[in-house]
Amino acid sequence: KAYPIIHIWDEGDSFYGQCIQGERKEFGVYFYKNGDKYIGAWNKNDMEGLGFKITKGGEVIEKGFYKDNKLEVSL
C-alpha cells in the first residue's frame, strides 16, 4: 500500500512523495540542500522513470527518462 511521506536527512536533503513498503516509489520530489529539486518517478529509492531536475531559481537542468538515479534518455 502506498502512503505519503516526508523524509528529512540531517545533511539538509529531503523527500516528499509516495512510499511503498518503506521505499520511495511512484511519484515524489527530492529537495537537495543547495535548493535544486528532482521531480518525477521513483522505484526502490532510485530516480527511475520520467522526471526532471531544476535549480533553486527554476531553470530546468535536465529532463527525460531516469534509471538507477541517472538520466538515461534526455528529452
Side-chain angles (χ1 to χ4, degrees), residues 2-75:
Y3 56 94
I5 65 165
I6 297 173
H7 188 158
I8 301 170
W9 287 268
D10 291 338
E11 302 83 37
D13 292 355
S14 60
F15 174 81
Y16 297 67
Q18 294 288 339
C19 184
I20 299 174
Q21 297 177 339
E23 296 181 330
R24 295 184 297 273
K25 282 192 171 184
E26 308 278 328
F27 179 81
V29 180
Y30 192 95
F31 295 86
Y32 298 91
K33 68 179 177 182
N34 69 358
D36 292 351
K37 299 175 194 83
Y38 167 79
I39 302 168
W42 292 84
N43 186 38
K44 297 183 181 177
N45 289 329
D46 289 338
M47 294 179 282
E48 193 161 302
L50 292 175
F52 61 97
K53 288 184 180 178
I54 60 175
T55 65
K56 182 178 181 178
E59 177 187 349
V60 176
I61 304 168
E62 60 185 33
K63 61 183 174 179
F65 184 82
Y66 290 79
K67 183 168 179 150
D68 297 325
N69 288 321
K70 295 181 184 159
L71 184 64
E72 287 279 313
V73 178
S74 183
L75 297 174

